[in-house]
Amino acid sequence: MKKMTLSMIVLITAISLTACGKSTAPTNATSTTATTVATSKPSEIPSVSDELAKIKKAGVINVGIEGAYPPFNSYDNDKKLVGFDVDLTNEFAKRLGVKVNFVVTPWDSIIAGLLAKKFDILLSSMGITEERKQKVDFSNPYYTTYSALFVPTNSAITDPKQMTGKKIGALLGSKFADDAKELGGIVSTYKNDTLAHQDMSLGRLDGVITDKIVGAVTAKANNYPEKRIDKPLTTYKIGIAVNKGEPALLNEINTVLKSIMDDGTYTKISTKWFNEDIR
């Protein structure tokens, strides 16, 4: 009896040890886990810093532009996109060795379009501000300008400070609207500058705040009876915007932009549109 009991104890112990030594998962589970880890390497996660390489490989750069801001960017009578920004973009793309695809976008949603990667860069006379720099990165400035007040030719207004309580039109989503608020005006915003000037010509506004050049060109092109109050409101440096995290693309933009400015090409393009170098 003792022998049988001892044998049984040995047998039971052996079975228990064997059971404890087994993995609770199938033998191929380890290899499955290893495979999963191997396919999750950080290096395979897409990075926006590769944007320049993608552009060069595709042979096309997608450029966000408003298309309603003459003489910087707008459509001519033949429905062709023209202007200073357009010529500068074409020269930039030529030196980069790629073609241009302009993506015309309303001003009030143009930064959102860049953030959503609907285009690679934004070249549309955008002022460099601290607020915008929180969302995107900017190139070195490619020109400097200032906002100005335009009023009807028969207006008694001689100083922007007289606009308190007056009706002022400005581009929707622009810093010009901020200028109007700071003057204490009653602000109406518009999808483009032309609509604001049109409303002023119809007596609906007491003034329009916009870029000093754009306002003058718009008034002249449409025969609007206006005058510019030559007292600058805010000075802006204008840059090319890119998404954050793209240092290679931003560096390339600055390098090419500098070459355009240094060899006389910038002056040639600027003189074509403004009869002067506006940098």
Side-chain angles (χ1 to χ4, degrees):
M1 183 69 181
K2 288 182 179 179
K3 288 182 179 179
M4 289 181 62
T5 302
L6 183 59
S7 299
M8 289 178 65
I9 291 172
V10 172
L11 180 60
I12 291 169
T13 302
I15 293 171
S16 299
L17 289 172
T18 304
C20 291
K22 285 184 179 179
S23 170
T24 55
T27 55
N28 63 351
T30 302
S31 61
T32 301
T33 304
T35 302
T36 302
V37 173
T39 56
S40 301
K41 293 180 180 177
S43 61
E44 294 180 7
I45 298 174
S47 172
V48 292
S49 62
D50 293 329
E51 198 63 29
L52 177 61
K54 293 176 184 176
I55 291 169
K56 289 188 174 182
K57 182 177 181 180
V60 177
I61 185 167
N62 298 302
V63 180
I65 198 166
E66 183 190 7
Y69 199 62
F72 293 94
N73 58 83
S74 62
Y75 286 97
D76 64 11
N77 293 332
D78 297 321
K79 305 301 180 183
K80 180 182 177 182
L81 200 59
V82 298
F84 175 74
D85 287 336
V86 177
D87 285 356
L88 188 65
T89 302
N90 286 330
E91 182 63 29
F92 170 79
K94 183 175 74 174
R95 298 191 185 205
L96 196 61
V98 298
K99 295 181 179 179
V100 180
N101 175 44
F102 287 108
V103 183
V104 178
T105 307
W107 185 258
D108 59 323
S109 60
I110 203 163
I111 286 184
L114 178 62
L115 296 176
K117 298 187 180 297
K118 293 184 178 179
F119 31 87
D120 305 310
I121 68 172
L122 197 171
L123 204 166
S124 190
S125 288
M126 177 165 281
I128 302 171
T129 67
E130 290 303 317
E131 181 182 354
R132 288 169 179 160
K133 283 164 68 175
Q134 297 299 313
K135 299 178 180 179
V136 300
D137 286 336
F138 283 96
S139 69
N140 296 329
Y142 66 94
Y143 75 88
T144 302
T145 188
Y146 63 79
S147 55
L149 172 67
F150 290 80
V151 297
T153 51
N154 61 357
S155 174
I157 298 293
T158 58
D159 192 300
K161 294 179 181 179
Q162 296 174 280
M163 294 302 289
T164 301
K166 302 291 186 180
K167 297 177 181 178
I168 307 175
L171 183 65
L172 179 64
S174 72
K175 302 306 291 183
F176 305 136
D178 293 339
D179 288 337
K181 291 175 184 176
E182 289 178 10
L183 290 175
I186 302 169
V187 186
S188 296
T189 54
Y190 295 81
K191 282 286 187 180
N192 61 61
D193 275 284
T194 301
L195 294 175
H197 288 273
Q198 185 179 67
D199 261 10
M200 185 164 70
S201 72
L202 296 173
R204 296 170 183 164
L205 296 172
D206 299 305
V208 171
I209 293 178
T210 186
D211 177 84
K212 63 171 183 174
I213 298 173
V214 174
V217 169
T218 301
K220 183 177 180 180
N222 294 280
N223 291 317
Y224 293 143
E226 300 178 15
K227 61 183 178 181
R228 183 176 69 197
I229 306 299
D230 287 318
K231 293 187 178 182
L233 297 174
T234 305
T235 299
Y236 297 101
K237 290 186 180 299
I238 309 300
I240 302 169
V242 302
N243 278 307
K244 287 186 173 296
E246 297 174 359
L249 177 58
L250 187 59
N251 183 64
E252 186 77 0
I253 289 172
N254 283 328
T255 298
V256 175
L257 190 58
K258 185 177 186 303
S259 72
I260 293 173
M261 290 181 161
D262 288 350
D263 68 7
T265 304
Y266 180 95
T267 300
K268 182 178 179 181
I269 295 173
S270 183
T271 302
K272 170 186 173 181
W273 293 99
F274 312 110
N275 292 319
E276 63 177 326
D277 190 316
I278 63 170
R279 79 181 84 179

